[in-house]
Amino acid sequence: MKLKLTTSYKQILFMALPISLAMVVPQINFITNNIFLGALGEQELASAGITGVYYLIFAVIGNGLNNGLQALIARRAGQNLPKEIGKLFYHGVWIALAIAFLGIGITYLVAPTVLHFTIHNSLIADQVIDFLLIRIWGLPFLYLYVMRNALLVGTNQTRFLVYGALAEALVNIFLDYSMIYGHFGFPELGFNGAAYASILAEGSGLLVLYLVINAKGIHKTFAFFEQTKIEFSVVKVILTISAPLILQFAISIMSWEYFYILVEHQGSRALAISNIMRSIFGLFGIFCWAFASTTNTMVSNIIGQGRQDEVIPLVNRIMKLSLGVSSFIFLILNLIPYWFLTFYNQGDGFVEEAIPIVRIVSVALLLMSVGTIWLNAVTGTGNSRVNLLIEFITIVVYCIYVFFVLEKWNLSLAWGWVSEWVYWISMFVMSFFYMRSGKWRDKVI
C-alpha cells in the first residue's frame, strides 16, 4: 500500500474524484428528501430547511473530528508509520461515539426550548422538533462513517469510499419514497418518514464500508485489532488538532442556522427558497469540498515527508482545478436555472422568485472554490487553532452582515444570500496570507 503522495495533477485527481463521488451521495439524499417532502407542501419544505441545518451542525462536528484525524493520519502516512495510523483510528472511533451521544443528549434537553423560542410559526416549530428527536439518532452511524472516511482519505484509499456512499443513496431513496408516502407495505409517516429513512440509510452505508475495509484487509495493514486499551496521550493529540476544527465547523453551521431563523421571519416562502438554495449549494459544492479534503491530506502528507517547499505550488495546482470545475458549474447554473428549480414542484411564481438567488449562489460557488482550498491548506499544516481564529473572525463579520440586512434593514432575500460572498472572501484573504507567511513551517503534530 503506497502511503507517500506526490504533488502531481494526476495524484490530485486520483484522490479528489472518488471523494467527489462519495460526497455526491449525501447531497442526493438531501435533495431527494426535499423533493419528496416538497410534494407534501410548502410548509414541509420550509421545515426541512431548519431540520437540515440543525442536523448539519452536528454532522459538521463529525467533519471537524474527521478533518483533524485525517490530517494526523496523512502525516503518519507521509512518515510511513502504519501502526500509528491504526492507533489514531482506534481512538478516533471512541471519541466520535462519545461526541455523538453528547449531541443526542443536547438535542433532547435543549433543542425543543431553543427552537420554540426562535421560530415564529408554532406549527413549523412543532414539526421541526418532532423530526429532530427522531433524526438525531443517526449521529452514531454518521460519526463512525466519517471516521472510516478519514482513514481511507488519509491513507490514499479514496476509491473505496464510493461503495458505502452508493449503498446509502439507494437505501435512502427507496425508504424515503416508501416511508413518507406509505408504499411497499410501509406505514405512511409523512414528514417524519424522511427521518427514519435517513437513519437507516446511514447505517447501511456504514455497514457496507465496514465490510469493504475488512474484505480488502485494510484492518490488518494498520493493526486495528492490536489496540485493546485507551491511551490518553493519543486522545490528547487527536483532540489538540481536532477540537479547534470541531468548534470551527460548529460555529460555521450555527451561523447558517442563525441565517435560516432570520429568513423564517420573512415567511415560509423565503425559507423554502433558501432550503432549495442550500440543496443547490450542497450539490455543486461537493467538488470544492472534495478538492478541499484532498488539500488537507496532501499538504499534511507532503509536510510529513519533509517537502515543505512544495506545499504552496501544490495548493495552487489544487486551487486551479477547483476553480476550473466551479467555473463550468457557474455557467450551467446561469444558463438553465429554471430547469433545476422545476424539480421541486412549487409553481412558476416560486421559481421566478428563486432565480435571482440561484445567480448569487453561483458566484458564491466560485468564491468558495478558492477560499475553502486555502483554509484546508491551513488545516493540513496542523495549525488548527489558526483555522479556528480565521473562522471566528469570518463568522463575526457574516453574522453582523445578515443581522443588519435581514433583521435591521429588512432587505430582500437576495441581499441576504450575498452573505455567502462576504463569508468566502473573508476566509480566503486570511487563509491565503497565513499560508504565504510561512509561519506554519515549524509546526509539529
Side-chain angles (χ1 to χ4, degrees), residues 85-270:
I85 291 173
K87 185 181 292 186
L88 287 167
F89 178 73
Y90 174 80
H91 288 80
V93 165
W94 284 109
I95 294 170
L97 287 174
I99 296 173
F101 285 103
L102 179 63
I104 292 171
I106 290 172
T107 298
Y108 271 79
L109 295 174
V110 179
T113 301
V114 172
L115 291 170
H116 269 303
F117 179 76
T118 54
I119 298 174
H120 289 183
N121 187 319
S122 60
L123 293 176
I124 290 179
D126 290 338
Q127 193 171 54
V128 164
I129 292 166
D130 288 345
F131 183 95
L132 288 174
L133 294 182
I134 301 167
R135 182 71 183 95
I136 201 66
W137 287 99
L139 271 189
F141 299 123
L142 177 65
Y143 282 9
L144 291 178
Y145 189 84
V146 298
M147 287 302 96
R148 293 195 174 274
N149 284 359
L151 173 69
L152 294 174
V153 175
T155 58
N156 193 25
Q157 305 295 310
T158 55
R159 63 190 182 278
F160 297 131
L161 295 174
V162 178
Y163 297 106
L166 183 61
E168 183 180 341
L170 293 175
V171 171
N172 188 75
I173 292 170
F174 173 75
L175 291 180
D176 258 350
Y177 181 71
S178 302
M179 301 181 83
I180 291 173
Y181 302 128
H183 294 298
F184 306 115
F186 286 87
E188 184 179 348
L189 299 175
F191 188 70
N192 288 343
Y196 290 109
S198 296
I199 293 172
L200 293 171
E202 285 169 346
S204 300
L206 173 63
L207 176 61
V208 169
L209 199 57
Y210 173 83
L211 293 174
V212 169
I213 285 176
N214 282 269
K216 299 296 181 180
I218 295 174
H219 62 296
K220 295 179 181 178
T221 302
F222 301 113
F224 290 160
F225 298 125
E226 290 184 13
Q227 310 298 320
T228 57
K229 61 179 181 178
I230 300 293
E231 295 180 26
F232 288 99
S233 60
V234 180
V235 173
K236 182 180 178 181
V237 170
I238 294 173
L239 290 180
T240 298
I241 300 298
S242 297
L245 296 175
I246 291 171
L247 187 55
Q248 171 203 330
F249 278 94
I251 63 175
S252 174
I253 301 302
M254 284 178 185
S255 68
W256 213 358
E257 182 81 333
Y258 176 64
F259 170 78
Y260 270 77
I261 288 171
L262 294 185
V263 169
E264 188 269 339
H265 297 171
Q266 295 194 356
S268 61
R269 168 64 62 88

Side-chain angles (χ1 to χ4, degrees), residues 8 57 65 148 160 169 171 175 186 213 286 292 362 378 397 427:
S8 65
I57 292 172
L65 180 59
R148 293 195 174 274
F160 297 131
V171 171
L175 291 180
F186 286 87
I213 285 176
I286 58 170
S362 69
V378 179
V397 174
M427 180 173 290

Side-chain angles (χ1 to χ4, degrees), residues 364-375:
L365 284 168
L366 290 177
L367 298 171
M368 182 175 74
S369 70
V370 174
T372 192
I373 299 303
W374 286 96
L375 182 69

Side-chain angles (χ1 to χ4, degrees), residues 38-113:
L40 297 178
E42 190 173 288
Q43 178 182 306
E44 282 76 10
L45 190 58
S47 297
I50 295 176
T51 58
V53 176
Y54 180 90
Y55 190 73
L56 191 58
I57 292 172
F58 290 99
V60 298
I61 289 172
N63 284 340
L65 180 59
N66 167 70
N67 280 14
L69 190 65
Q70 184 178 309
L72 284 165
I73 288 174
R75 187 65 56 90
R76 300 297 178 262
Q79 296 165 343
N80 200 27
L81 298 171
K83 288 193 175 181
E84 290 298 312
I85 291 173
K87 185 181 292 186
L88 287 167
F89 178 73
Y90 174 80
H91 288 80
V93 165
W94 284 109
I95 294 170
L97 287 174
I99 296 173
F101 285 103
L102 179 63
I104 292 171
I106 290 172
T107 298
Y108 271 79
L109 295 174
V110 179
T113 301

